[in-house]
Amino acid sequence: MELNGSSPSLTKIERNGSSAPAIIEHKAFARIGLLGNPSDVYYGRTISLNIENFWASVRLEPSSDLLIRPHPTHDLVKFASLDHLVNRLKNEGYYGGVRLLMATCKVFTNYCKEQGIHLHNSNFSLSYDTNIPRQTGLSGSSAIVCATFSCLLDFYKVRDKIAVEIRPQLILNAEKELGIVAGLQDRVAQVYGGLLYMDFNKESMEKYGHGNYTQLDTGLLPPLHLIYAENPSDSGKVHSAVRQRWLDGDTFIISSMEEVASLALQGKRALLEKDYAKLATLMNQNFDLRRQMFGDASLGALNIEMVEVARRAGAAAKFTGSGGAVVAFCPDGQSQVEVLNNACKKAGFAIEPVRVVPSLLNEIDIRN
């Protein structure tokens, strides 16, 4: 089945003269936080974009029993030796994607029951694949959950019954089932696709359970580059200390996070006006503020080095998420891009041009 970034994919076949879902497959793409992160967790604002460079795909097939299929690589249970097992756990951790599929099914089912949304009794099998590098702050876990959620929407034909604004919170709820610490930004970006400005103001969040989301023309973006490490740090532990300080009313953290949120608002204006010099300044400010709040020990030396390699080449740079990858912009054009490429290769970092995904919303999502 062909998948593309412009719309969800659904294949149907004829059975006994009627059209019935046969195989449903969805992609969800890696996410880059361009400005404002991590203020989404703190009633802030962000600008994010989905990229075609990396993605997760989930495949749903009707079956007699409900079956969650382990991935042959990411859910490995057969090893060549004890050393192989230990090294695998050291590098990859204990968790693959099966837990994400199962948690999504649970949250989806519970929500539908709570809302009185009828689900038919047919069973299915779920399998997944992903090429999103682990622990790079590119939203690999939420991509698997998002793609799974889209498959369930279409299998049960309830896309029109679960509003698009609500879906990111349900996706986050599935991850929370597994102890994953995160905000709404990634899930909103992966549900909507394209380039998105998000306002998570407290009034909207408390009244409606979601923020205000505005899709922007992807053509407003200048050329961007993705830099990432082969062995990145764990992005799941970076929020903890700052979060508690914010909850405790730490004035430095509160004011700094408000300043980070304001960068997204300024960035929206800069994009609309194509003021890319301003955009570069805002990207650098975003990272500097994060560094002041979290500290070098929390960010990690490797992550900081990625940013500094880009900056030494004259590029603006910041984390795509919480560490493990960096988004860079070369305001001086192609000659500067070549300098950046050479600097990254010399430092041992991977680098590639960002390819932006268009909006993923279909007619049902927009009408709803």
Side-chain angles (χ1 to χ4, degrees):
M1 177 186 300
E2 181 180 354
L3 291 172
N4 58 69
S6 60
S7 63
S9 297
L10 172 64
T11 292
K12 293 188 176 183
I13 62 172
E14 293 294 324
R15 284 183 177 169
N16 299 321
S18 65
S19 180
I23 297 173
I24 300 169
E25 192 167 357
H26 278 279
K27 272 185 178 180
F29 296 88
R31 181 275 308 130
I32 285 178
L34 185 63
L35 286 170
N37 57 308
S39 74
D40 59 310
V41 190
Y42 307 91
Y43 301 117
R45 308 178 192 91
T46 63
I47 296 176
S48 293
L49 55 138
N50 277 16
I51 60 171
E52 292 181 347
N53 304 62
F54 299 109
W55 64 87
S57 63
V58 174
R59 182 181 179 93
L60 183 152
E61 302 179 59
S63 61
S64 55
D65 296 315
L66 201 155
L67 176 64
I68 309 295
R69 298 184 185 275
H71 191 278
T73 301
H74 304 303
D75 299 291
L76 195 64
V77 293
K78 182 179 180 180
F79 304 91
S81 66
L82 195 58
D83 284 341
H84 181 204
L85 182 151
V86 172
N87 288 333
R88 166 76 182 193
L89 294 178
K90 180 181 178 181
N91 294 325
E92 303 290 334
Y94 286 91
Y95 306 116
V98 163
R99 62 183 185 137
L100 297 167
L101 304 186
M102 296 177 72
T104 308
C105 289
K106 176 185 176 183
V107 168
F108 175 84
T109 302
N110 287 346
Y111 178 80
C112 289
K113 286 182 178 179
E114 291 167 3
Q115 299 299 315
I117 299 171
H118 173 73
L119 302 179
H120 59 72
N121 293 323
S122 299
N123 282 329
F124 55 85
S125 68
L126 278 176
S127 59
Y128 78 97
D129 196 8
T130 181
N131 64 2
I132 301 175
R134 295 186 72 255
Q135 304 299 344
T136 51
L138 293 171
S139 304
S141 294
S142 59
I144 294 172
V145 176
C146 184
T148 305
F149 200 87
S150 292
C151 286
L152 295 173
L153 287 174
D154 289 336
F155 181 71
Y156 288 104
K157 298 181 180 178
V158 294
R159 184 172 288 274
D160 61 331
K161 294 179 174 60
I162 302 179
V164 67
E165 297 89 350
I166 300 299
R167 296 173 200 169
Q169 184 63 60
L170 297 176
I171 291 166
L172 180 58
N173 289 348
E175 294 178 272
K176 285 182 176 179
E177 288 274 325
L178 306 170
I180 295 173
V181 178
L184 274 174
Q185 171 191 219
D186 304 358
R187 293 92 202 144
V188 176
Q190 288 170 324
V191 167
Y192 282 74
L195 175 64
L196 205 65
Y197 171 76
M198 293 163 266
D199 183 345
F200 299 100
N201 67 85
K202 187 174 183 180
E203 181 181 358
S204 293
M205 292 296 296
E206 292 184 345
K207 185 174 182 179
Y208 303 110
H210 60 79
N212 301 316
Y213 312 134
T214 305
Q215 287 194 303
L216 303 174
D217 182 358
T218 58
L220 296 171
L221 287 168
L224 301 171
H225 283 77
L226 177 68
I227 303 168
Y228 57 98
E230 298 296 336
N231 297 296
S233 63
D234 185 353
S235 67
K237 300 177 181 178
V238 177
H239 288 298
S240 55
V242 168
R243 176 68 176 173
Q244 190 57 53
R245 290 172 64 186
W246 183 82
L247 291 170
D248 291 342
D250 186 310
T251 55
F252 170 71
I253 296 298
I254 290 173
S255 63
S256 297
M257 204 62 75
E258 289 174 350
E259 191 173 351
V260 170
S262 75
L263 299 179
L265 183 59
Q266 296 175 63
K268 178 185 177 184
R269 188 179 307 115
L271 286 171
L272 292 171
E273 296 174 356
K274 295 194 174 181
D275 185 350
Y276 298 136
K278 178 67 172 178
L279 178 66
T281 299
L282 295 172
M283 289 174 65
N284 284 330
Q285 288 178 337
N286 203 145
F287 176 77
D288 293 342
L289 285 165
R290 175 188 279 273
R291 190 174 186 177
Q292 291 169 20
M293 286 187 288
F294 288 88
D296 287 6
S298 184
L299 298 190
L302 186 67
N303 293 323
I304 293 170
E305 178 62 15
M306 274 190 288
V307 172
E308 292 185 343
V309 164
R311 288 188 174 183
R312 286 195 293 268
K318 63 176 293 297
F319 289 173
T320 60
S322 295
V326 163
V327 57
F329 166 49
C330 293
D332 293 339
Q334 186 57 38
S335 61
Q336 193 173 55
V337 170
E338 292 174 7
V339 173
L340 178 61
N341 275 321
N342 291 333
C344 287
K345 290 175 182 177
K346 185 177 180 180
F349 299 133
I351 180 170
E352 54 188 89
V354 166
R355 303 192 304 275
V356 186
V357 174
S359 172
L360 298 173
L361 301 184
N362 65 20
E363 291 181 5
I364 295 174
D365 297 326
I366 295 169
R367 287 200 310 268
N368 195 31

